[in-house]
Amino acid sequence: MLTHRSSRPARRIIVAGASVAALALTLTACSSGGSGSSSSKTQDSNEKITLTVATFNNFGYTQELLDSYNQSHPNVTVKQEIAATSDDAKANFTTKLAAGGAGLADVQAVDVDWLPTVLQYEDKFTDLTDKSLDGRWLDWKAKQATAPDGKLLGYGTDIGPEAICYRQDLFEKYGLPSTPDKVAALLGGTNATWDKYFSVGEDFVKKSKGKVAWYDSPDGTYQAMVGQLANPYENSDGTPKDLATNADIKALFEKVATESKDKGLSAHNQEWQTDWTSSFQKSAFATMACPPWMTASIETNSGGVKGWNIANVFPGGGGNWGGSFLVVPAAGKHTAAAKEFAAWLTAPEQQLSAYKKANNYPSQVEAEKDPAVADSKNDFFANAPVGKIFADRAAAVTVTPFKGPNYFTINKAVTDALVAYDVQGKGSVDSNWNAAVDAYKALGLG
């Protein structure tokens, strides 16, 4: 049985604007300008050192795996520091980074959603560029951690290519094609669109006479859609787009709000909240956007309720939700050794081990092709060939959104308004959009 980090929901990080501003001021004040990421500190090869690696939840790095590094590097002892949640890890990361990086681990795990901070303050991190590693990762994964000047600041670990998880038993009950291939075709196959997804959903809800919703939540569906925009809230130079005139976001907001509440496609729950968790056991909805790590949450929350399967399809083509990197803080005492260790941890062999231990779908091209990944199946999801499905979904990703320093505060303003309308039943589509715009204005970004 494949499992994933059970506390993965904590990786949905909401960064308060005030804390971002405070971090920016502190880092600006303590930046030395000369201790940049272009060089690594070296040490005597015979010196005995200890390297720390800070992770969170479950990266699949077992003690046995770490001990094997010591066997091939007898002068290096590795210690892993594991935070219970990504919230805890991020708080520790930003606090110590604001102090100039003192106290950070030699190798630091960073969620993809934290990368704006890493890229914004690249002089605080070691340049990990290594020609011998070119081609190790999927192109779009490496691009996420590449600074504007070309420095590679993070080695990729896992990714979150999205498919559609669905209740095959409910599709059968209400007269829709139910096998994975037929569901993929029903949603449009390689030409799947969100309009088609919503249209099929409207048909499903009518056939169920409103007893079962089409999808789990408005914010989860919006998350999947906004993840396919190259520059949802900010321009590529980090400057925010005025939300009031952001036509793409307004169109997505209105579409999700209308389909969720007015057409009854949503189960009217907010992701990760108690009602959302319990809705799995109540068979309250039939489909949801589904990266690899979500499969464990579905299984856990379902509490024995079976009938789930996975369709190798995703509206709009491809989308990625989640994934992490390993970075090497420049303030570390052994940055050259840390870089070598980070490269080892993210080599295909080690990522295959992590996949087997924690279901972290690898971002390494070679690892994805290995039979241990490519041929893997998930018995809870009707023995779905998850290795092939998520490899296909990863290959379909053509856009990864730019997430600058204000991405999450702006995104929160929009999703809060969606939740207010669909889940809490407040106001109208227009009034809630206006509320989102007001929240944006309150951030003082204009």
Side-chain angles (χ1 to χ4, degrees), residues 24-324:
L25 289 172
T26 305
L27 287 172
T28 300
C30 68
S31 177
S32 63
S35 59
S37 59
S38 60
S39 63
S40 298
K41 300 180 182 68
T42 60
Q43 63 279 323
D44 185 339
S45 60
N46 294 318
E47 178 187 1
K48 291 187 178 296
I49 65 172
T50 296
L51 293 178
T52 54
V53 54
T55 63
F56 47 90
N57 297 334
N58 181 11
F59 269 63
Y61 299 157
T62 64
Q63 190 59 49
E64 181 182 7
L65 177 69
L66 299 180
D67 287 344
S68 70
Y69 189 76
N70 179 251
Q71 293 172 11
S72 59
H73 297 73
N75 292 323
V76 179
T77 299
V78 175
K79 292 184 179 180
Q80 183 175 198
E81 302 167 351
I82 306 175
T85 69
S86 59
D87 283 333
D88 294 337
K90 188 175 189 297
N92 178 70
F93 176 73
T94 55
T95 298
K96 291 179 178 177
L97 185 60
L104 285 173
D106 295 293
V107 176
Q108 181 80 42
V110 172
D111 189 279
V112 63
D113 290 346
W114 311 358
L115 275 182
T117 299
V118 175
L119 295 172
Q120 188 175 9
Y121 302 104
E122 65 173 276
D123 65 314
K124 300 298 178 187
F125 300 93
T126 301
D127 181 7
L128 302 182
T129 301
D130 185 336
K131 292 294 184 182
S132 69
L133 302 183
D134 286 353
R136 170 178 283 187
W137 296 276
L138 294 167
D139 289 344
W140 59 264
K141 178 69 172 181
K143 183 179 178 181
Q144 287 180 316
T146 302
D149 61 5
K151 294 174 183 174
L152 182 63
L153 300 182
Y155 287 157
T157 58
D158 62 322
I159 53 175
E162 296 179 275
I164 292 294
C165 288
Y166 72 100
R167 284 286 298 273
Q168 184 169 352
D169 57 333
L170 295 177
F171 273 52
E172 293 173 354
K173 181 176 182 178
Y174 295 113
L176 267 65
S178 62
T179 63
D181 288 348
K182 290 182 178 179
V183 170
L186 177 67
L187 297 180
T190 57
N191 297 314
T193 65
W194 286 105
D195 284 341
K196 182 65 173 177
Y197 176 75
F198 290 128
S199 175
V200 173
E202 291 171 23
D203 182 49
F204 175 85
V205 170
K206 288 179 182 178
K207 288 182 175 180
S208 75
K209 296 181 180 180
K211 294 179 181 178
V212 181
W214 180 235
Y215 52 79
D216 60 318
S217 65
D219 45 332
T221 303
Y222 177 82
Q223 161 77 32
M225 297 175 77
V226 79
Q228 294 174 329
L229 297 179
N231 293 86
Y233 302 119
E234 298 152 297
N235 298 305
S236 296
D237 63 0
T239 57
K241 295 181 176 180
D242 177 43
L243 187 61
T245 58
N246 192 329
D248 290 337
I249 295 300
K250 184 177 182 181
L252 289 189
F253 178 91
E254 292 176 342
K255 185 67 174 177
V256 176
T258 300
E259 296 289 348
S260 295
K261 185 178 181 182
D262 300 353
K263 297 186 179 180
L265 268 59
S266 165
H268 312 305
N269 295 313
Q270 182 178 3
E271 272 193 324
W272 316 122
Q273 302 304 308
T274 302
D275 287 347
W276 178 81
T277 301
S278 64
S279 69
F280 287 84
Q281 296 184 30
K282 298 175 182 177
S283 299
F285 61 93
T287 71
M288 66 183 301
C290 186
W293 52 264
M294 183 65 83
T295 59
S297 292
I298 292 173
E299 181 176 354
T300 299
N301 291 331
S302 293
V305 174
K306 299 181 179 180
W308 282 95
N309 210 325
I310 308 175
N312 190 351
V313 67
F314 199 67
N320 181 76
W321 180 10
S324 297

Side-chain angles (χ1 to χ4, degrees), residues 313-337:
V313 67
F314 199 67
N320 181 76
W321 180 10
S324 297
F325 296 82
L326 299 182
V327 302
V328 175
K333 295 181 179 179
H334 310 292
T335 55

Side-chain angles (χ1 to χ4, degrees), residues 360-442:
N360 298 339
Y361 190 81
S363 60
Q364 294 74 15
V365 176
E366 184 180 332
E368 288 185 7
K369 295 178 181 178
D370 189 281
V373 175
D375 298 338
S376 61
K377 298 181 179 181
N378 189 316
D379 58 1
F380 179 80
F381 288 84
N383 217 31
V386 289
K388 173 174 172 47
I389 290 173
F390 290 119
D392 289 347
R393 294 299 91 219
V397 175
T398 58
V399 174
T400 55
F402 175 80
K403 297 181 179 181
N406 299 297
Y407 177 92
F408 294 99
T409 49
I410 302 173
N411 188 67
K412 186 175 186 300
V414 177
T415 54
D416 281 354
L418 270 177
V419 169
Y421 181 62
D422 178 49
V423 180
Q424 300 169 3
K426 296 180 179 179
S428 64
V429 174
D430 288 342
S431 68
N432 280 285
W433 171 253
N434 292 335
V437 171
D438 289 341
Y440 169 85
K441 291 178 179 177

